[in-house]
DNA sequence: CCTACCGATCGGTAGG
DNA sequence: CCTACCGATCGGTAGG
């Protein structure tokens, strides 16, 4: 029942040619950051409002409720995933080592905005039931398609025969997510700052690779 | 500063052979479950009280504040970890394949009570700064000791030369934690119920093993 | 978009 | 005096 006024331009002031993010966008971004770092319950609409620089009630003008704002943030994440996926696969198939390309793109997707990884992790923990279905829908197709690729590699002897493709890919996905989400905390143990993160990232890639590919016969 | 009275009775000696958990224990357990499944902010003292079957004020008699209750729950987890660690290492060193034993004990530690994994994950996300220091202190020694073992294996050619011991162990630890914490949700994708969990657990162990050990020469 | 509010419930504390 | 609690309510703030 709320008006869906185009937020930027009601007519007058907006002569700016630069694409200014809409208020909705600003709210979504702020909410994403807060949901990711504090969790849904601990995030108050007031806190979101203060980041954006508007009132709490202004947020409730754009989003009917806190829950609706949460849904919008999630949908944005899913949409971005679905838009990125095809590109990810195309890039990968054009590469000699297809798997390493897919894996690095996967990690890059989350590293480009660590809030994505944190948000997914929070969803997994806070709303397991809802997230179960959601995950099946979103990553199910992706999983099947890459699993097929893994199986082909197994038939050719490139991939280890004892790999469980779907289970393997899920574990790798989980590693990428938690690796990004807790990078600052965990990697600090193996080394402060960027150095620790670098070591963690490299080892992550090594584990994913070594546990998939058959040992090369000594040339 | 709280008295540490034997929780059962004041006067009569411990004639009861059955160890009744103290009210403090009951509160801690209930709080652990709720903190793990909902997070600190989303857990109300009222909810903890209802699980235990006492009043909210009774909880605040045993624990000065919600924060103090949270600290007690964490301390309990850390204490249990520190008590379990020696046994874990002894068991492992008595086994032929020491690493697999350590790893399975590690997973077992979290699987024995999935709330442990969930709680650690929540701490990592909710209080990264505090948890960073905590983790260094708690798992630092453990990490160093096992890393040394990995290095010995590397010198003997049993372990892959390109393994980064500390980084590897951290990744494995993370895998165990997230694997247990999100087992129900993630494993449902590869198969409903126990079957999916079993596949996930097996693949997890396989990944940890295959990415550490050198490929065996074909006999 | 804001000011002015609501029913409810938060963590914590009062006296008994 | 102590303990282990209770019913009632504090000042603030949540989502709406």
């Amino acid at each position: 029942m709320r008006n869906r006024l185009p937020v930027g331009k009601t007519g007058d002031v907006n002569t700016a040619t630069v694409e200014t993010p809409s208020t909705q966008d600003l709210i979504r971004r702020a909410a994403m950051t807060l949901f990711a770092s504090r969790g849904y319950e601990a995030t108050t609409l007031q806190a979101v409002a203060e980041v954006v620089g508007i009132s709490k009630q202004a947020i409730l003008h754009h989003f009917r409720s806190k829950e609706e704002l949460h849904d919008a943030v999630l949908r944005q994440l899913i949409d971005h995933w679905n838009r990125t996926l095809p590109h990810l696969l195309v890039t990968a198939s054009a590469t000699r080592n297809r798997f390493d390309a897919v894996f690095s793109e996967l990690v890059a997707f989350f590293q480009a905005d660590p809030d994505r990884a944190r948000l997914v992790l929070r969803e997994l923990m806070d709303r397991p039931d809802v997230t179960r279905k959601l995950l099946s829908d979103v990553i199910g197709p992706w999983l099947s398609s890459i699993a097929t690729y893994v199986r082909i590699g197994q038939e050719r002897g490139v991939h280890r025969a004892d790999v469980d493709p779907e289970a393997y890919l899920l574990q790798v996905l989980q590693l990428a997510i938690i690796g990004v989400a807790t990078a600052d905390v965990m990697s600090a143990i193996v080394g402060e700052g960027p150095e620790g993160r670098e070591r963690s990232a490299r080892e992550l890639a090594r584990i994913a690779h070594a546990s998939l590919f058959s040992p090369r016969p000594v040339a």
Side-chain angles (χ1 to χ4, degrees), chain A:
Chain A
M1 282 316 222
R2 293 224 159 272
N3 310 13
R4 287 274 177 167
L5 287 182
V7 277
K9 29 208 72 185
T10 4
D12 45 342
V13 189
N14 218 330
T15 47
T17 47
V18 186
E19 254 198 58
T20 314
S22 68
T23 304
Q24 260 111 344
D25 286 338
L26 294 175
I27 294 171
R28 257 198 302 264
R29 289 183 200 181
M32 167 123 179
T33 302
L34 289 171
F35 285 152
S37 63
R38 304 181 187 180
Y40 177 76
E41 298 279 355
T43 299
T44 67
L45 291 182
Q46 185 60 42
V48 178
E50 279 167 13
V51 170
V52 181
I54 59 179
S55 72
K56 180 181 70 171
Q57 295 75 11
I59 291 178
L60 289 168
H61 168 77
H62 292 286
F63 300 92
R64 215 165 291 215
S65 66
K66 189 188 182 184
E67 187 58 37
E68 195 177 86
L69 172 57
H70 181 248
D71 289 348
V73 168
L74 265 193
R75 212 173 304 125
Q76 190 183 31
L77 173 61
I78 294 170
D79 288 349
H80 191 267
W81 171 270
N82 286 334
R83 278 199 316 275
T84 308
L85 181 60
H87 167 71
L88 191 151
L89 290 178
V90 168
T91 305
S93 57
T95 312
R96 222 161 53 93
N97 194 330
R98 187 175 172 181
F99 172 78
D100 286 352
V102 170
F103 180 73
S104 78
E105 286 291 328
L106 179 66
V107 173
F109 173 84
F110 288 107
Q111 257 171 355
D113 185 358
D115 285 339
R116 286 174 193 151
R118 286 192 267 264
L119 197 64
V120 170
L121 214 45
R122 295 231 179 243
E123 288 302 308
L124 282 170
M125 305 195 68
D126 292 340
R127 314 193 309 172
D129 298 325
V130 184
T131 310
R132 191 180 347 236
K133 250 194 64 59
L134 198 74
L135 268 188
S136 296
D137 297 346
V138 174
I139 74 170
W142 176 83
L143 207 69
S144 302
S145 124
I146 316 274
T148 301
Y149 163 75
V150 171
R151 285 210 173 76
I152 293 172
Q154 284 180 309
E155 283 162 18
R156 290 187 188 153
V158 180
H159 295 159
R160 291 165 176 270
D162 57 354
V163 172
D164 180 335
E166 284 85 4
Y168 166 79
L169 290 170
L170 264 184
Q171 296 288 356
V172 165
L173 179 63
Q174 290 189 73
L175 260 185
I177 290 172
I178 195 177
V180 172
T182 68
D184 297 331
V185 190
M186 295 297 271
S187 62
I189 298 173
V190 298
E192 289 298 328
E195 187 220 338
R197 257 195 302 278
E198 176 55 33
R199 276 181 67 185
S200 293
R202 193 164 39 226
E203 188 64 12
L204 172 60
R206 193 197 64 76
I207 290 172
H209 184 101
S211 57
L212 174 63
F213 287 91
S214 299
R216 300 219 169 195
V218 184

